[in-house]
Amino acid sequence: MPFESAEFDKMGWSFVRVVSVSEFSRVKEDDPSCRTPEETSLHAGTEGFQFAYQMLYLLDATGYYSLALHALGIHVCRASGQELTLQGALLSCTYTVLDYAQTGLIAAVFFFKVAKEGVQLPPDRTVCPLCLQKRVNPSVITVSGFVFCYACVFKFVTQYKRCPATMMPATVDQIRRLFHDV
């Protein structure tokens, strides 16, 4: 930089160091020695005046939060205890409604996904739930593990593309023939 500064001086130009705003404010704020006595008193006076004005606002001596808002005509209202109570009650009611809505949504998902009723399973495990006869050519659907007659389950899965007991999506490829049935 000294070389560049000397070259600029030869041409009659002045050398100016470019400082970012954040760097400038950091230097000015962090180093009080950079301030002139006038700047220091002006800064102290401004801060003191802003503090006093906000104290007046807190004591209801002025209706404006700051002089800048007063100059712009923007009125900032403080919430009273009654308003806060009303807002709290409103928020409490809203949260309660949302909580019940969430519970209802979970129940609806459970009803539509889990509680779909397939065919009723007979108490006798050797009977096919579809034809209610003793199983012939027992076969299992791999998505659920339930056992049916091969012809019954093949027809049902071909037509509805679901397991008859759980209503889970199934394909004919997921039917397996059992060679030993209890």
Side-chain angles (χ1 to χ4, degrees):
M1 290 243 248
F3 174 75
E4 294 167 350
S5 180
E7 290 296 314
F8 280 123
D9 286 341
K10 284 181 191 175
M11 293 191 282
W13 296 344
S14 61
F15 180 75
V16 177
R17 181 173 169 239
V18 177
V19 178
S20 69
V21 173
S22 62
E23 184 181 354
F24 179 74
S25 63
R26 188 180 70 243
V27 168
K28 290 294 246 180
E29 290 174 5
D30 292 346
D31 189 8
S33 65
C34 290
R35 293 192 187 121
T36 64
E38 295 83 19
E39 287 178 321
T40 304
S41 358
L42 181 64
H43 179 72
T46 305
E47 289 291 322
F49 184 74
Q50 286 176 347
F51 176 75
Y53 193 86
Q54 289 183 350
M55 286 301 291
L56 290 173
Y57 174 74
L58 289 174
L59 298 172
D60 280 336
T62 180
Y64 294 94
Y65 180 72
S66 71
L67 274 178
L69 294 176
H70 186 92
L72 294 172
I74 299 173
H75 188 72
V76 178
C77 295
R78 286 186 292 168
S80 68
Q82 292 174 341
E83 291 169 343
L84 292 176
T85 304
L86 291 174
Q87 288 175 346
L90 183 61
L91 280 175
S92 177
C93 289
T94 303
Y95 290 143
T96 303
V97 167
L98 289 175
D99 190 37
Y100 281 116
Q102 181 184 12
T103 304
L105 181 62
I106 292 169
V109 168
F110 176 78
F111 177 74
F112 286 113
K113 287 206 171 235
V114 177
K116 286 183 179 178
E117 289 190 29
V119 295
Q120 294 291 8
L121 298 175
D124 185 8
R125 292 179 46 178
T126 61
V127 174
C128 173
L130 292 172
C131 66
L132 300 176
Q133 304 292 322
K134 184 154 176 68
R135 283 192 292 251
V136 179
N137 294 328
S139 301
V140 67
I141 293 189
T142 57
V143 295
S144 64
F146 287 99
V147 181
F148 306 91
C149 297
Y150 180 80
C152 297
V153 74
F154 184 85
K155 183 178 175 184
F156 189 92
V157 170
T158 303
Q159 184 175 0
Y160 298 107
K161 309 249 186 286
R162 298 198 171 279
C163 169
T166 62
M167 300 308 274
M168 291 175 59
T171 63
V172 175
D173 296 336
Q174 294 170 321
I175 300 172
R176 300 287 184 264
R177 178 92 200 282
L178 296 177
F179 294 100
H180 178 70
D181 189 25
V182 178

